């Protein structure tokens, strides 16, 4: 590893650990019995402040980024370059009237956005955001994250059903079907990482990627199975968070607003917040699993604080999400489901096999060649199978003929 | 009699409340959500016993999949309308007797097994690694049988769904 | 291969994104009201009355013939003829409008009043930022608010205005030539009446 001499300089080490040191200093004012709880509480407060702040910035950057992609300027009136737009949006959503339909199920209608936001915030507890900066180091951290993701689907269904609106219900059913299908893919592509690391604990997964040969890091994305896994994970992540091109459940031209049609004011803002926070947390997990978490991309850059790398990588992922949104048209529900079950899932299963092959072939260039060849061949063959012309011929109807 | 920790009582109360709500509520989807609360209570009980894998798997599978399945089944079979002659059946005393009998059997089994497990002061730490080892080591045959069962179920589901396409009009 | 379409699309959007910072072709937004696109020459919004010279009352071309009032489809023009007459651009005595009101909340910018006016008196303006808080009175323009000079007409519709000016000048020249010839004929007649009849001098 070619490290720079100043990486071990106390200034950079302290800068890297600045939040940990800050927390320890603050907690030191309390008696020893309360310290662990206070430490965790401070971490929770930090997460609750940082990620909604990032959410606010992301809404502005999304609108401006999409605008630039679409040959126009985004919002630029509120604040310099429109950066205070989220403040205006926040005030708007807080002052809007909260309308609950008369025949809607009031309790479930109220609980749905709450459940969504709570479970999404819980997912942040296991992400290692820097060296020694994970809120709860659980042995089965990855499983916890996916458990929280599964609970998110329930809130989507609750929102759609409680509105007593057939469009909301349809949107909710579609959203849940989509989320379940792609959740399988998400889990399987992460299992490949777990297989190689040998642990479900996220800090250990990052530590396994934090080694360097020469200048280059051992991130999993730089291996054939890691790249394939990352691509499948990215597709599944886009579908899980209902982002374009998989945003049929909330497409305005399809189903009004899908499962959050009947929500206005602050509850709608909570759904919006929940969606973007889910995007952050899934990007965070993808960064941890495949992009090396908080480790630096080159060994001579380890002096830069680890949390800068983590948040930088997460923001790059968000930028790619926005880029995809600006590029691709929306997929139809059956195209979406076909894609999941007929292409992505088989490819992910094959990736699992290839990962096992990688592990048991031992070090050397042979495993690189074999794994790459298998994956590329599978991709091309399955792609050809999907793109046959019979898929694009005249449309055949099941009931109308 | 040892006193259990207050958290256990809380979680037990939550689970029981969820279970009671499941059978007492009138709206079917409310019952489904209440059973989800019961599942969550169970998962938290597992976590309280330091069984991390079991707890999170409970959330992932039961709340993430089974509850959704129940809800889909209710919606697709239009079960959300209230049945005409009330929610509770006429023969509830018989049901009560049967439930008491099952509870007695379960209670006897649990209490009898307390003596069979050796008393340990420390909780044995079971990591996911150990569970994995056991699954492909000692319990590989049940694992394969369950996999076969699931495959058969999936194929059956596909065939049942496909059958509708080829029905003559 | 599967996915190459997506990559091509992403390349195009990336080109758009980065290009929008450097080239105006990729960023076509005009930030109104700080920046404005100049209106086309034949744009039209609401009518105005043309006057020649400096004094709007004396130079007004409108002779209150009321043709535009009768032809206007939504009947948004209201004209009251004057009692006396004033000389027009060729010197002939004409009526003038004592009242010429246009209700621009009714006017549909069809330009029929312009097309039928025989005196080139009413033309279409291009001013569109006319929002006012007074819904009724603020949108009823009287003859003073409607009057604009011929120089203004040149500035907004140069080709048309030059053409109109040429036509009016031609008319004026014709009238003047006619008047001159009539004056010469009259002079010749008086000369012929004063002295014994010489042969006709190629009269007109």
């Amino acid at each position: 590893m070619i490290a720079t001499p100043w990486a071990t300089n106390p200034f950079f080490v302290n800068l890297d650990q600045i939040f940990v040191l800050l927390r320890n200093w603050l907690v030191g004012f309390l008696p020893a019995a309360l310290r662990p709880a206070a430490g965790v509480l401070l971490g929770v407060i930090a997460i609750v402040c940082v990620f909604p702040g990032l959410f606010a910035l992301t809404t502005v950057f999304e609108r401006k980024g999409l605008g630039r992609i679409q040959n126009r300027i985004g919002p630029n009136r509120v604040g310099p370059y429109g950066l205070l737009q989220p403040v205006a949006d926040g005030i708007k959503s807080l002052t809007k009237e909260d309308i609950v339909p008369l025949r809607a199920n009031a309790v479930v209608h109220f609980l749905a956005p709450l459940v969504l936001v709570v479970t999404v915030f819980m997912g942040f507890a296991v992400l290692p955001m820097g060296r020694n900066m994970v809120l709860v180091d659980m042995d089965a951290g990855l499983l916890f994250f996916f458990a929280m993701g599964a609970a998110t689907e329930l809130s989507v269904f609750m929102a759609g059903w409680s509105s007593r609106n057939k469009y909301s219900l349809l949107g909710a059913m579609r959203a849940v079907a989509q989320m379940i299908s792609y959740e399988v893919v998400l889990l399987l592509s992460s299992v490949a990482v777990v297989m190689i690391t040998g642990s479900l604990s996220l800090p250990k997964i990052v530590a396994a990627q934090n080694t360097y040969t020469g200048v280059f890091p051992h991130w999993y994305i730089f291996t054939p199975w890691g790249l394939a896994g990352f691509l499948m994970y990215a597709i599944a992540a886009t579908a899980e968070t209902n982002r374009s091109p998989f945003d049929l459940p909330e497409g305005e031209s399809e189903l009004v607003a899908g499962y959050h049609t009947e929500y206005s004011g602050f509850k709608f803002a909570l759904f919006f917040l929940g969606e973007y926070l889910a995007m952050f947390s899934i990007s965070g997990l993808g960064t941890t699993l495949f992009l090396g978490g908080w480790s630096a991309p080159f060994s001579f850059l380890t002096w830069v604080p680890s949390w800068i790398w983590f948040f930088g990588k997460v923001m790059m992922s968000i930028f790619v999400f926005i880029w995809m949104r600006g590029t691709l048209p929306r997929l139809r529900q059956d195209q979406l489901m076909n894609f999941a079950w007929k292409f992505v899932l088989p490819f992910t299963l094959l990736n699992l096999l290839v990962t096992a092959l990688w592990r048991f072939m031992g070090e050397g260039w042979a495993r690189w060649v074999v794994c790459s060849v298998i994956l590329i061949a599978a991709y091309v063959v399955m792609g050809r199978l999907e793109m046959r012309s019979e898929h694009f011929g005249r449309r055949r109807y099941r009931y109308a003929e | 009699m040892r006193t259990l920790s207050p958290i256990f009582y809380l979680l037990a109360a939550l689970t029981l409340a969820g279970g009671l709500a499941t059978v007492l509520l009138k709206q079917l989807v409310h019952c489904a959500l209440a059973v989800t609360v019961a599942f969550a209570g169970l998962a938290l009980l597992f976590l309280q016993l330091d069984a991390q894998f079991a707890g999170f798997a409970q959330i992932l599978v039961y709340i993430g999949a089974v509850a959704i399945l129940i809800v889909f089944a209710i919606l697709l079979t239009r079960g959300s309308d209230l049945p005409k002659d009330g929610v509770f059946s006429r023969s509830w005393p018989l049901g009560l007797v049967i439930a008491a009998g099952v509870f007695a059997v379960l209670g006897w089994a649990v209490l009898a097994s307390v003596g069979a497990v050796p008393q340990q002061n420390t909780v044995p730490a079971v990591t996911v690694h150990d569970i994995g080892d056991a699954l492909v080591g000692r319990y590989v045959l049940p694992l394969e049988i369950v996999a076969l069962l699931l495959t058969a179920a999936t194929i059956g589901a596909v065939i049942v769904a496909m059958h509708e396409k080829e029905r003559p009009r | 291969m599967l996915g190459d379409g997506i990559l091509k699309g992403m390349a195009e959007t990336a080109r758009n994104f980065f290009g929008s910072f450097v080239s105006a072709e990729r960023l076509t937004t005009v930030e109104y009201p700080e920046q404005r696109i100049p209106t086309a020459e034949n744009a039209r919004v609401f009518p105005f009355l043309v006057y020649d010279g400096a004094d709007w009352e004396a130079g007004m071309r409108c002779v209150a013939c009321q043709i535009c009032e009768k032809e206007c489809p939504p009947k948004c023009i209201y004209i009251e003829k004057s009692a006396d007459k004033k000389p027009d651009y060729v010197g002939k005595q004409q009526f003038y409008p004592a009242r010429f009101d246009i209700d621009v909340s009714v006017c549909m910018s069809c330009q029929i009043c312009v097309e039928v006016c025989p005196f080139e008196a009413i033309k279409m303006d291009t001013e569109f930022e006319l929002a006012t808080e007074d819904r009724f009175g603020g949108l009823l323009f009287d003859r003073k608010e409607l009057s604009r000079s011929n120089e203004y007409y040149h500035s907004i519709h140069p080709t048309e205005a030059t053409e109109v000016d040429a036509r009016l000048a031609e008319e004026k020249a014709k009238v003047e030539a006619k008047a001159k010839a009539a004056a010469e004929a009259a002079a010749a007649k008086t000369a012929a009446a004063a002295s014994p009849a010489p042969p006709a001098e190629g009269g007109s």
Side-chain angles (χ1 to χ4, degrees), chain C residues 5-151:
Chain C
I6 297 182
L7 289 171
K8 271 190 237 161
M10 286 173 78
E12 180 59 40
T13 36
R15 213 177 300 145
N16 250 13
F17 180 81
F18 291 112
S20 73
F21 289 102
V22 289
S23 81
E25 176 209 318
R26 294 254 182 209
L27 185 71
T28 50
T29 310
V30 171
E31 286 182 72
Y32 184 87
E34 287 96 20
Q35 303 162 358
R36 272 155 224 245
I37 311 178
T39 51
E41 199 200 310
N42 53 354
R44 62 182 196 238
V45 187
F46 293 127
F48 71 94
L49 293 171
V50 191
Y51 66 83
D52 297 307
D55 185 4
W56 66 273
E57 267 195 275
M60 203 189 295
R61 293 185 194 167
C62 176
V63 299
C65 63
Q66 295 177 309
I67 292 180
C68 57
E69 189 184 19
K70 293 181 185 120
E71 294 285 343
C72 175
K75 298 271 182 286
C76 67
I77 303 182
Y78 178 72
I79 300 178
E80 268 176 18
K81 225 175 203 161
S82 64
D84 60 331
K85 295 198 183 184
K86 69 164 171 65
D88 71 351
Y89 69 101
V90 288
K92 189 169 162 191
Q93 291 285 10
Q94 302 276 19
F95 287 111
Y96 61 90
R99 242 184 118 117
F100 194 112
D101 293 338
I102 296 187
D103 188 352
V104 291
S105 66
V106 176
C107 173
M108 59 185 204
S109 313
C110 61
Q111 205 174 246
I112 288 180
C113 52
V114 173
E115 287 168 20
V116 302
C117 178
F119 297 93
E120 317 287 352
I122 187 168
K123 297 291 172 194
M124 291 310 270
D125 199 353
T126 55
E127 178 77 34
F128 57 88
E129 292 171 359
L130 299 167
T132 169
E133 287 144 11
D134 181 8
R135 194 194 291 182
F136 302 109
L139 293 175
L140 186 69
F141 293 170
D142 62 9
R143 63 179 190 149
K144 179 161 172 142
E145 287 166 347
L146 285 172
S147 294
R148 306 257 189 281
S149 69
N150 197 18
E151 283 77 39

Side-chain angles (χ1 to χ4, degrees), chain B residues 144-161:
Chain B
E144 295 300 329
I145 293 176
V146 168
L148 208 61
L149 200 64
L150 280 172
T151 314
T154 316
I155 295 179
V158 169
I159 290 181
V160 166

Side-chain angles (χ1 to χ4, degrees), chain A residues 7 116 180 182 235 380:
Chain A
L116 179 70
I180 289 183
Y182 281 97
I235 294 174
V380 171

Side-chain angles (χ1 to χ4, degrees), chain A residues 32-369:
Chain A
L34 288 176
R35 275 186 202 158
V40 170
L41 190 65
L42 275 172
V44 168
I45 291 176
I47 289 181
V48 170
C49 293
V50 165
F51 281 100
L54 272 179
F55 153 73
L57 263 178
T58 304
T59 48
V60 162
F61 283 134
E62 167 156 25
R63 290 170 71 173
K64 292 196 79 69
L66 277 178
R68 292 273 168 183
I69 288 176
Q70 293 164 358
N71 294 1
R72 58 183 172 88
I73 317 178
N76 66 344
R77 297 280 154 173
V78 190
Y81 293 107
L83 285 172
L84 289 180
Q85 183 72 30
V87 176
D89 284 341
I91 295 177
K92 172 201 79 171
S93 67
L94 282 172
T95 55
K96 269 198 180 171
E97 182 188 352
D98 184 27
I99 302 174
V100 177
L102 188 65
R103 293 189 57 228
N105 209 306
V107 174
V108 179
H109 190 89
F110 179 78
L111 283 177
L114 246 59
V115 169
L116 179 70
V117 173
V118 165
T119 50
V120 169
F121 263 122
M122 302 248 275
F124 284 114
V126 280
L127 290 178
M129 300 181 204
R131 205 173 266 116
N132 304 332
M133 273 169 72
V134 59
L135 187 66
V136 185
D137 186 1
M138 273 191 252
D139 194 36
L142 189 63
L143 200 57
F144 172 78
F145 187 90
F146 285 126
M148 292 303 122
T152 313
E153 298 166 17
L154 199 64
S155 86
V156 164
F157 169 74
M158 278 164 69
W161 175 80
S162 68
S163 304
R164 292 263 181 211
N165 179 348
K166 56 172 92 65
Y167 299 108
S168 298
L169 192 60
L170 254 181
M173 306 275 267
R174 286 184 181 180
V176 171
Q178 173 185 319
M179 285 166 101
I180 289 183
S181 318
Y182 281 97
E183 176 141 12
V184 182
V185 174
L186 210 65
L187 278 159
L188 282 174
S189 41
S190 327
V191 164
V193 172
V194 172
M195 226 202 283
I196 295 287
T197 316
S199 163
L200 277 173
S201 150
L202 291 174
K204 284 206 189 65
I205 294 179
V206 176
Q209 295 180 70
N210 196 21
T211 51
Y212 299 87
T213 43
V215 184
F216 301 106
H218 283 174
W219 293 357
Y220 291 142
I221 194 179
F222 295 133
T223 58
W225 61 267
L227 185 63
F230 180 69
L231 281 172
M232 299 300 121
Y233 182 91
I235 294 174
T238 322
E240 274 290 304
T241 50
N242 288 345
R243 284 290 288 189
S244 243
F246 301 103
D247 61 347
L248 191 69
E250 58 180 43
E252 268 110 22
S253 45
E254 319 286 337
L255 288 165
V256 191
Y259 56 89
H260 42 71
T261 309
E262 298 289 348
Y263 285 91
S264 57
F266 196 58
K267 290 184 197 155
F268 184 77
L270 278 180
F271 269 114
F272 208 55
L273 177 73
E275 182 189 313
Y276 276 78
L277 284 177
M279 224 161 73
F280 283 124
S281 92
I282 264 193
S283 307
L285 186 72
T287 312
T288 310
L289 291 175
F290 295 100
L291 291 175
W294 46 257
S295 79
F298 295 111
S299 63
F300 51 82
L301 286 175
T302 47
W303 53 271
V304 180
S306 54
W307 40 272
I308 287 191
W309 289 122
F310 179 80
F311 281 104
K313 288 176 204 173
V314 169
M315 293 316 281
M316 285 310 303
S317 316
I318 301 291
F319 177 66
V320 172
F321 271 130
I322 296 177
W323 192 7
M324 295 294 274
R325 181 176 177 179
T327 309
L328 293 169
R330 185 174 292 150
L331 281 180
R332 223 173 44 221
Q333 183 72 10
D334 64 321
Q335 289 170 337
L336 206 153
M337 302 291 272
N338 270 343
F339 186 58
W341 294 100
K342 292 187 186 168
F343 178 79
V344 183
L345 188 62
F347 196 72
T348 313
L349 287 169
L350 183 72
N351 188 34
L352 216 53
L353 263 167
V354 168
T355 313
L357 200 63
W358 174 275
R359 176 158 180 145
F360 289 109
M361 270 181 88
E363 293 276 343
W365 57 268
R367 65 176 182 174
W368 283 83
V369 172

